[in-house]
Amino acid sequence: MEALKRDYFALFGLTPAFGIDEAALEQAFRRLQSTMHPDRFVNAGAAEKRMAMQMATRVNEAWQVLAEPLRRARYLCEMNGIDVGAEDNTAMPAAFLMEQMSWHEALDELRESPDAEDYAAMKQRHEQAVAALHEQLRQTIDEDRDFAAAAGVVRQMMFLDRFGQQLKAAGLNVSKP
């Protein structure tokens, strides 16, 4: 029962950080998943089966949060008492918002006139922006321990995540040269 109460990082035996060792996370996940899988408890009593199911669910939830950088950053902020405020805090740096508007306009143009080279260039710019924000989150969370500042970066990552989904959907309609 104690394992159900621990935070996701403790569950996997990891130090809370944005820049986690992804191989160690995956190894711990696989170990816990095999240990707690409900199939291992088919001959157990009802209480033991229920506990195994709860643990398997907890392990899967923890994996989904820690394996995805945006969700991991948000979780770290919340662990440290900072609400990201994604639902009601839309404050963003003006330069970031202008860049997003420009990207959306370019994506609209790409939808109207699909071009594989333009799509690849836009995808590369998006990937570079995501990598830069990941590095900013690593610095802000892991080194500066400034979770209030990290919350603002998380909100920016949410914008980029949504744009990435739109970009991916638009990519399905881009003709190849």
Side-chain angles (χ1 to χ4, degrees):
M1 192 66 162
E2 181 62 31
L4 288 173
K5 295 178 184 175
R6 291 188 292 189
D7 71 65
Y8 293 161
F9 290 97
L11 184 64
F12 289 116
L14 299 171
T15 301
F18 180 76
I20 61 173
D21 180 344
E22 292 179 14
L25 172 63
E26 186 169 347
Q27 184 179 20
F29 170 67
R30 295 201 185 288
R31 180 181 44 79
L32 284 172
Q33 189 180 41
S34 68
T35 303
M36 295 297 159
H37 197 278
D39 289 349
R40 295 181 60 109
F41 295 86
V42 291
N43 296 321
E48 225 178 336
K49 284 181 182 179
R50 188 171 42 257
M51 179 59 73
M53 182 60 83
Q54 289 173 341
M55 274 303 299
T57 300
R58 177 90 171 153
V59 166
N60 286 329
E61 287 171 358
W63 165 258
Q64 290 172 2
V65 169
L66 297 185
E68 202 278 299
L70 176 58
R71 292 181 72 186
R72 181 172 60 244
R74 188 173 185 161
Y75 180 72
L76 281 160
C77 288
E78 290 168 357
M79 276 181 64
N80 287 279
I82 301 297
D83 179 12
V84 172
E87 294 76 27
D88 57 0
N89 186 344
T90 57
M92 298 279 167
F96 178 80
L97 291 175
M98 293 300 292
E99 180 181 50
Q100 291 303 296
M101 287 174 51
S102 171
W103 284 15
H104 281 279
E105 289 171 4
L107 183 57
D108 288 342
E109 290 174 16
L110 185 61
R111 285 181 180 129
E112 290 175 17
S113 302
D115 180 271
E117 287 181 21
D118 289 345
Y119 175 78
M122 184 178 289
K123 185 176 177 194
Q124 183 177 18
R125 281 193 310 274
H126 176 261
E127 289 169 354
Q128 290 170 343
V130 168
L133 285 183
H134 282 186
E135 177 54 29
Q136 189 176 354
L137 283 168
R138 190 202 58 73
Q139 171 75 38
T140 306
I141 292 173
D142 297 349
E143 294 179 24
D144 301 341
R145 309 293 294 163
D146 187 348
F147 296 97
V153 180
V154 168
R155 288 191 299 275
Q156 290 178 31
M157 274 300 307
M158 293 171 79
F159 268 72
L160 289 185
D161 188 57
R162 280 191 298 274
F163 181 81
Q165 292 169 11
Q166 294 170 353
L167 182 60
K168 185 177 180 179
L172 298 175
N173 300 321
V174 172
S175 60
K176 305 296 181 217

